[in-house]
Amino acid sequence: MTQHDDELEVPAAGRETRAGAPRSGAPRTARERARAELTREIKEEARRQLTKTGADGLSLRAVARELGMVSSALYRYYPSRDDLLTALIIDAYNALGETAEQAIAGAGAEAGAEAGGAARAQWLAACHAIRAWARANPQEYALIYGSPVPGYRAPEATIAPAARVPLAFVGVLARAAEAGELAEGPAAPDGAAAGPPAAPPLPAELGKQAATLLAALAAGPAWPAVPDGAEAPKLAPEVLTRAVIAWTQLFGMVSFELFGQFVGSFEPADTLFAYAVASLAAFAGLR
Amino acid sequence: MTQHDDELEVPAAGRETRAGAPRSGAPRTARERARAELTREIKEEARRQLTKTGADGLSLRAVARELGMVSSALYRYYPSRDDLLTALIIDAYNALGETAEQAIAGAGAEAGAEAGGAARAQWLAACHAIRAWARANPQEYALIYGSPVPGYRAPEATIAPAARVPLAFVGVLARAAEAGELAEGPAAPDGAAAGPPAAPPLPAELGKQAATLLAALAAGPAWPAVPDGAEAPKLAPEVLTRAVIAWTQLFGMVSFELFGQFVGSFEPADTLFAYAVASLAAFAGLR
DNA sequence: TGTACATCAGTGAACGCGCGTTCACTGATGTAC
DNA sequence: TGTACATCAGTGAACGCGCGTTCACTGATGTAC
């Protein structure tokens, strides 16, 4: 499976030939170029079909048909249907992750002028970008945040891409903490004036879980979007926990909107969404 | 379709014979009893299979096989696969709705002694009951709150059962409003002492949507769990909107837990869940 | 209470479809000398 | 630069499977007189 995962992205190149050293960089021979291109085309056609049929309607034969190939030819590129699905899932996570990261980068640049509130602007931008992406790519969204495809078990290779969005949010909070833009620090449980979120204190077990996760993040190689600092910034468990809650609210709302739970009530959901996102940014401590 | 929906629950009884008047009540003849029973058994076997295969793995042939019938025989009971699915969906919505309603009723009874906070206890009880049901019936949960089954369009008959949970929550809030248990009334935008939620004011459009929905609820026949009062209780648009946000958070969190987005971080999610639910109850104004 | 007829449940065969995957094969592309 | 061999992409047929739905049928259950 690990071998496959490598092949999914850059199929022949990046693999060792039997005789020589591993090849580097981009494909060189016509064969390798053709292979890389077809691997991409198959994935794109599969994504196109996903749009119409949903995750488990995805059919290798239909993809091959549309590409003018015979179905068995696909097995030169993806060893099974599940591997093709995995590639689509990874792509979707990455696309959404990049969307969020770019929104944050963009909001950071814009809001650079004003002194405070930059982190809040980034947070809101990420939320709105995520919603927009989900609305533009509902089937890909459903693929990663909908009910799991029965019989399919996501391989480890999906974990890192799946973490990009949460990590992006954590990055925003970390920068906010450094810049002193959080309404409530870990040691200041009740700053009355500025309107801090009125949430109950963390239960012990929850605080431990949050601390463990923070430690893992700090130790991990992929602390997000915090330029160069070898040390991961400190973040209070309270803040992380509230961010997680805001995160679940965000995706709960997007899912409800996409999956039709709002029909007949809060539609269009734009205003509700903006209000909710702003409320939960405040809840997370951003001001 | 409307005719079918009637048949799904009480198949032969409740329909008119060609010659006479509509039959009333429970099935009388052996045939009618057998029919009602088999209709139920088919649905239950289908639900059992759902547990293993997921929504679109549901197969009429497999259900028939398990019941020792020939597949075509099922068409005497459900005119198509989609109708069977619809029956399962309606059942799931009703089961979850009833779970929530009973939790509320139970918490109401228990907390009847203490003066205040009854509504808050009911709210929390409903949230925990919903999560427990979802964990106990993950496939049924996925059926109604997961990604929509491609090619299936939910008929109108699902709307009312789907509304039970949100209506139950609204009922709790309505009673809380009457009892003066809400932290923030519609006319009191900033009660400083009691720790009101620090949320931005409602945008105009959102207030209008909420008001429209409230009016529809008041006019509708199914104002929930408010004993007898012909007039629907008044609820501030702000309160309704925040409740909707809490509602999306609840289901977002349950979905994340069930669909595996928490693996490796906040698991077990019990403490996180309790904390989140309490926080958002406060956000909705319950104290 | 008994008979004649109508209704209905369940059968078994069939239609027509689509799927994932394997396998022996051919022809083209690449490599080593 | 040219030839001999190895690698690889794509073909076409096949295996074995399962599905939803239709239809003419039989036998049992129900109803009217």
Side-chain angles (χ1 to χ4, degrees), chain A residues 176-191:
Chain A
E178 277 188 348
E181 291 183 14
L182 285 185
E184 196 179 15
D190 227 282

Side-chain angles (χ1 to χ4, degrees), chain A residues 32-43:
Chain A
E32 282 173 334
R33 257 196 311 266
R35 182 178 178 81
E37 202 167 317
L38 247 178
T39 307
R40 224 177 301 122
E41 270 179 36
I42 290 169
K43 205 166 59 182

Side-chain angles (χ1 to χ4, degrees), chain A residues 8 36 40-41 96 131 170-171 217 226 233 241 267 274:
Chain A
L8 292 179
R40 224 177 301 122
E41 270 179 36
L96 183 60
R131 173 179 180 240
V170 169
L217 289 176
V226 175
T241 304
E267 270 191 331

Side-chain angles (χ1 to χ4, degrees), chain A residues 18 31 35 38 61 70 72-73 76-77:
Chain A
R18 202 190 295 144
R31 221 184 226 169
R35 182 178 178 81
L38 247 178
R61 292 186 107 114
V70 91
S72 52
R76 298 268 170 217
Y77 300 89

